[in-house]
Amino acid sequence: LHQKWDLYIPFIEQSIYISNQGLCALIIPYQYLNHTYAKLSREFLVKENTLWEIVDLSDLKVFD
């Protein structure tokens, strides 16, 4: 089974790995939170790390 995936997923996981249990804060696309192709990555974040907060910035224009 071939599923869609986005390049930001390996960047998220690599950022956490590089931080070596330090603090890692990222601005990521909203799709990461609700698409099935990111499910394993989300599970990794929740089970293997301490997730402090998710902030929905969809009402703000973060980047021009």
Side-chain angles (χ1 to χ4, degrees), residues 25-57:
L26 301 166
I27 298 174
I28 58 173
Y30 177 74
Q31 292 84 353
Y32 181 77
L33 299 177
N34 59 14
H35 279 281
T36 56
Y37 62 81
K39 182 180 179 189
L40 292 176
S41 181
R42 290 191 306 266
E43 288 175 356
F44 165 73
L45 285 179
V46 173
K47 292 178 182 177
E48 303 295 328
N49 300 280
T50 301
L51 183 61
W52 287 2
E53 185 175 15
I54 296 175
V55 179
D56 182 3
L57 300 175

Side-chain angles (χ1 to χ4, degrees), residues 15 19-25 50 52:
S15 297
S19 72
N20 194 24
Q21 302 302 319
L23 182 62
C24 180
T50 301
W52 287 2

Side-chain angles (χ1 to χ4, degrees), residues 1-9 29 31-32 35-39:
L1 180 65
H2 178 15
Q3 290 188 3
K4 178 184 173 188
W5 68 281
D6 281 303
L7 190 56
Y8 59 80
I9 293 174
Q31 292 84 353
Y32 181 77
H35 279 281
T36 56
Y37 62 81
K39 182 180 179 189

